[in-house]
């Protein structure tokens, strides 16, 4: 982190490129302490979208935000697939509103409500 950058500014830059979502690890790398993270979650300033994946409490839960949060949850080798990939490319689809991801078998993330792995 540059001397003139606060943890908030550093994290905001990362979240901006990720549709508003960010990882706990990114918050720690930006300079937030575990206590600060817990306090922001407890106060509602941040909300957990998936374990270890957060967004600001004021961030709208747009399709793109939920999709990126799910991909962050599943790891760096996860890719959008099926209906989610089509939607993110601007193709209107009919069917499940769930986020669809393809991930390497060895990673073994677990499907969660709204997330099909």
């Amino acid at each position: 982190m540059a001397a003139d950058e606060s943890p908030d500014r550093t994290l905001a830059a990362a979240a901006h490129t990720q549709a508003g979502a960010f990882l706990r690890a990114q918050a720690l790398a930006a300079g937030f302490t575990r206590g600060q993270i817990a306090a922001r979650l407890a106060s509602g300033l941040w909300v957990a979208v998936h374990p270890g994946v957060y967004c600001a409490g004021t961030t709208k839960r747009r399709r793109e935000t939920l999709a990126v949060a799910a991909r962050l949850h599943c790891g760096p080798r996860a890719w959008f697939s099926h209906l989610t990939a089509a939607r993110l490319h601007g193709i209107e689809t009919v069917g499940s509103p769930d986020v669809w991801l393809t991930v390497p078998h060895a990673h073994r993330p677990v499907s969660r409500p709204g997330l099909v792995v």
Side-chain angles (χ1 to χ4, degrees):
M1 175 172 62
D4 62 335
E5 291 215 19
S6 69
D8 284 304
R9 182 171 282 173
T10 301
L11 189 58
H16 178 74
T17 66
Q18 297 168 164
F22 56 91
L23 292 164
R24 177 181 182 83
Q26 290 175 305
L28 290 167
F32 287 96
T33 66
R34 285 173 171 73
Q36 288 171 318
I37 292 170
R40 286 176 181 232
L41 288 167
S43 72
L45 285 173
W46 294 353
V47 294
V49 183
H50 295 289
V53 182
Y54 314 125
C55 66
T58 56
T59 300
K60 288 186 179 182
R61 304 313 184 274
R62 299 175 297 137
R63 266 190 197 167
E64 181 185 14
T65 303
L66 296 174
V68 171
R71 188 183 59 76
L72 290 170
H73 169 67
C74 289
R77 295 186 60 205
W79 294 97
F80 299 118
S81 63
H82 298 78
L83 296 175
T84 302
R87 285 186 201 115
L88 292 173
H89 283 288
I91 300 169
E92 286 303 317
T93 62
V94 176
S96 170
D98 294 341
V99 174
W100 289 73
L101 293 168
T102 299
V103 298
H105 180 68
H107 184 68
R108 298 178 195 213
V110 177
S111 291
R112 301 175 41 79
L115 171 60
V116 178
V117 179

